């Protein structure tokens, strides 16, 4: 047995720890456990592999986010927990979401976030909102400061780190002004903030709710579907292990809420790695490679890029 295969088999299947549907009824289109496992690739670190043949258009698995936050422009139009569209000025779409939000909301509403939100709005920042929500969840006792440590971090330049100083100080001072004690926010050091933000930068998904019926979208084998403007961002466990390809064999989409669904774009054989496209695959080669290099920190060497397509 090759060393790569031994490492792959030795790696714990992340989906068994993920919050896809292990503790809830299986969604339509899923009849058994997800046909995937997390293993090691030859060149891209961890990846997701098929454990059986997966047919084109098949719903592979679902996943709920570890962390999510609506965009500032969507605060009054989507559920503060699941990002589903809601009537104006209603923070939650259901009592269930209201109850589940208590892990961060009871802490968050004790503080005045107007200065922090305004700074994020004027600077065009979205990832600090996810750090804010994680910090509130940690203070409430529902998460630990190491929650995202399993995820790969981005490489940050000294210039990028310097720009984070203001947002970090605003976040910490907001908690201090609200009366949280030094003990409660002891984890919230600049080092912790930068480390978490580095992981969020390359593992966050931009949530665009798909337009159309559930059945029509899942039956489609297209790499993209018509969607509304982005309503927020989210971090997932298992989807974060999917590697990139400019000609993907799988696609992630959101129907009605932040809960993610992964479907196959074409037939995938047992043992084959599943890959998604991190960006707009319709862009030309140079544009794709520039965005992937600057935004995700790697030079794409997928077959499509190598063929100059």
């Amino acid at each position: 047995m090759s060393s790569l295969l031994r490492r792959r088999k030795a790696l714990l299947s992340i989906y068994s720890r993920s919050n896809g549907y292990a503790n809830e009824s299986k969604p339509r289109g899923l009849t058994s456990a997800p046909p995937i496992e997390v293993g090691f690739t030859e060149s891209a670190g961890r990846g997701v592999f098929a454990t059986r043949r997966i047919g084109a258009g098949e719903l592979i698995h679902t996943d709920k986010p570890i962390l999510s936050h609506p965009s500032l422009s969507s605060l009054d139009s989507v559920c503060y927990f699941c990002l589903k569209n809601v009537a104006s000025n209603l923070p939650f779409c259901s009592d269930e979401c209201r109850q589940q939000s208590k892990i961060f909301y009871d802490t968050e509403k004790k503080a005045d976030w107007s200065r922090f939100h305004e700074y994020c709005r004027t600077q065009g920042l979205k990832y600090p909102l996810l750090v804010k929500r994680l910090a509130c969840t940690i203070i409430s006792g529902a998460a630990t400061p190491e929650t995202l440590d399993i995820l790969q971090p981005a490489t940050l330049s000294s210039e990028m780190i310097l720009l984070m100083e203001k947002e970090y100080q605003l976040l910490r001072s907001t908690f201090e002004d609200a009366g949280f004690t030094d003990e409660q926010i002891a984890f919230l050091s600049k080092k912790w903030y930068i480390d978490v933000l580095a992981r969020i930068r390359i593992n966050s998904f931009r949530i665009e709710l798909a337009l159309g019926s559930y059945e029509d979208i899942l039956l489609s084998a297209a790499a993209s579907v018509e969607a509304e403007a982005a309503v927020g961002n989210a971090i997932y466990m298992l989807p974060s292990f999917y590697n990139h390809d400019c000609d993907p064999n799988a696609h992630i989409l959101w129907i009605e809420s932040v809960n993610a669904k992964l479907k196959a774009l074409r037939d995938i054989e047992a043992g084959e790695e599943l890959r998604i496209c991190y960006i707009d695959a319709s862009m030309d080669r140079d544009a794709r490679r520039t965005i992937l290099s600057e935004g995700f920190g790697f030079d794409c060497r997928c077959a499509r890029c190598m063929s100059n397509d």
Side-chain angles (χ1 to χ4, degrees):
M1 183 184 296
S2 70
S3 61
L4 176 64
L5 184 57
R6 284 196 297 271
R7 290 174 72 199
R8 183 181 300 173
K9 288 185 175 297
L11 187 65
L12 177 66
S13 274
I14 298 297
Y15 71 76
S16 67
R17 295 167 52 195
S18 185
N19 49 2
Y21 60 89
N23 298 315
E24 61 182 56
S25 60
K26 297 182 181 66
R28 287 170 288 179
L30 286 170
T31 58
S32 59
I36 52 177
E37 64 181 2
V38 176
F40 287 96
T41 68
E42 294 284 0
S43 59
R46 291 171 295 196
V48 179
F49 298 83
T51 57
R52 63 162 173 78
R53 185 180 185 278
I54 301 172
E58 182 176 340
L59 177 60
I60 303 166
H61 72 92
T62 66
D63 207 6
K64 293 180 180 179
I66 306 170
L67 199 61
S68 66
H69 198 289
S71 61
L72 293 177
S73 61
S74 300
L75 286 178
D76 295 329
S77 58
V78 300
C79 176
Y80 204 51
F81 183 78
C82 76
L83 308 190
K84 184 181 295 186
N85 287 322
V86 296
S88 180
N89 297 322
L90 290 178
F92 302 104
C93 68
S94 65
D95 287 339
E96 180 182 3
C97 281
R98 186 185 302 276
Q99 288 300 314
Q100 292 187 50
S101 74
K102 285 184 176 296
I103 61 172
F104 61 84
Y105 193 61
D106 287 353
T107 298
E108 187 176 323
K109 66 184 181 182
K110 294 176 181 177
D112 178 1
W113 295 100
S114 56
R115 285 193 306 142
F116 184 75
H117 284 181
E118 184 58 25
Y119 181 77
C120 290
R121 193 191 316 275
T122 57
Q123 299 298 313
L125 302 175
K126 52 189 177 182
Y127 302 135
L129 299 172
L130 290 168
V131 184
K132 176 196 78 172
R133 180 155 293 184
L134 176 58
C136 289
T137 309
I138 293 169
I139 291 171
S140 75
T144 69
E146 299 79 27
T147 294
L148 302 185
D149 281 5
I150 194 172
L151 302 180
Q152 180 73 21
T155 300
L156 303 177
S157 67
S158 56
E159 291 80 7
M160 295 169 68
I161 292 174
L162 186 62
L163 290 173
M164 295 174 183
E165 178 68 31
K166 176 68 172 177
E167 65 205 55
Y168 163 69
Q169 293 296 343
L170 275 173
L171 178 64
R172 187 173 178 90
S173 65
T174 298
F175 283 119
E176 291 172 340
D177 293 346
F180 289 95
T181 65
D182 289 343
E183 182 179 359
Q184 287 177 297
I185 58 174
F187 69 92
L188 189 51
S189 65
K190 185 177 178 181
K191 181 181 182 302
W192 178 85
Y193 182 86
I194 292 171
D195 185 65
V196 167
L197 208 57
R199 285 169 166 76
I200 288 175
R201 280 183 62 87
I202 60 170
N203 291 287
S204 175
F205 287 85
R206 185 172 183 261
I207 309 303
E208 298 177 339
L209 302 182
L211 300 175
S213 71
Y214 183 96
E215 289 78 8
D216 289 345
I217 292 169
L218 290 184
L219 285 174
S220 169
S224 61
V225 295
E226 186 179 1
E228 299 177 358
V231 296
N233 292 274
I235 300 287
Y236 303 85
M237 182 61 71
L238 182 52
S240 293
F241 291 106
Y242 278 75
N243 287 314
H244 166 83
D245 199 298
C246 293
D247 184 23
N249 57 10
H251 181 57
I252 185 169
L253 69 157
W254 297 270
I255 304 172
E256 294 186 343
S257 76
V258 74
N259 295 338
K261 301 184 187 326
L262 278 292
K263 70 169 185 175
L265 295 176
R266 54 176 177 266
D267 291 343
I268 301 169
E269 299 304 320
E272 183 178 350
E273 185 182 2
L274 284 77
R275 293 197 170 211
I276 60 176
C277 187
Y278 294 172
I279 58 174
D280 182 355
S282 67
M283 294 185 293
D284 64 43
R285 175 181 179 273
D286 290 344
R288 296 195 313 269
R289 287 172 63 84
T290 297
I291 292 175
L292 290 168
S293 176
E294 295 179 356
F296 294 88
F298 67 89
D299 294 323
C300 185
R301 302 186 63 83
C302 71
R304 184 181 172 195
C305 283
M306 292 298 94
S307 65
N308 294 318
D309 181 4

